């Protein structure tokens, strides 16, 4: 199962090394105590995609971006989606 999140334009420059922030949001929405946190990763946390402008400090997504997260287990995807909506 795959979730494709459509994100609004950023208000601050996204640093080039932003991947750990996406992973942090993933675990926050999943719940820090979720068993998937310390097990084999049967999910994939993708990169931000979309038209971006490169600045000296990072990336600007004037039209927003998309973020794709893929799962082997649909139940895990539903847990993440509940976290996003909460």
């Amino acid at each position: 199962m795959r979730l494709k999140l459509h994100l609004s334009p950023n208000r601050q420059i996204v640093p080039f090394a932003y991947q750990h922030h996406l992973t942090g949001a993933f675990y926050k929405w999943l719940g820090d105590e979720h068993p998937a946190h310390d097990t084999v990763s049967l999910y994939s946390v993708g990169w931000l995609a979309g038209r971006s402008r490169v600045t000296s400090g990072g990336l600007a997504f004037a039209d927003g971006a998309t973020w794709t997260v893929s799962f082997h287990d649909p139940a895990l995807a539903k847990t993440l989606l509940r976290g996003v909506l909460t």
Side-chain angles (χ1 to χ4, degrees), residues 4 21 30 38-39 52 54 60 63 67:
K4 187 173 186 179
H21 293 290
L30 194 59
D38 291 324
T39 61
S52 64
V54 177
D63 299 326
W67 181 32

Side-chain angles (χ1 to χ4, degrees), residues 13-82:
I13 298 299
V14 176
F16 293 117
Y18 66 85
Q19 187 67 26
H20 69 281
H21 293 290
L22 291 180
T23 305
F26 174 83
Y27 283 116
K28 180 180 89 172
W29 292 332
L30 194 59
D32 290 331
E33 300 303 317
H34 195 280
H37 188 73
D38 291 324
T39 61
V40 174
S41 301
L42 298 177
Y43 50 83
S44 172
V45 178
W47 296 86
L48 294 177
R51 189 171 59 93
S52 64
R53 180 175 51 86
V54 177
T55 67
S56 61
L59 303 169
F61 293 92
D63 299 326
T66 58
W67 181 32
T68 304
V69 184
S70 302
F71 301 88
H72 174 71
D73 181 6
L76 191 59
K78 290 176 185 177
T79 300
L80 183 77
L81 187 55
R82 276 192 297 274

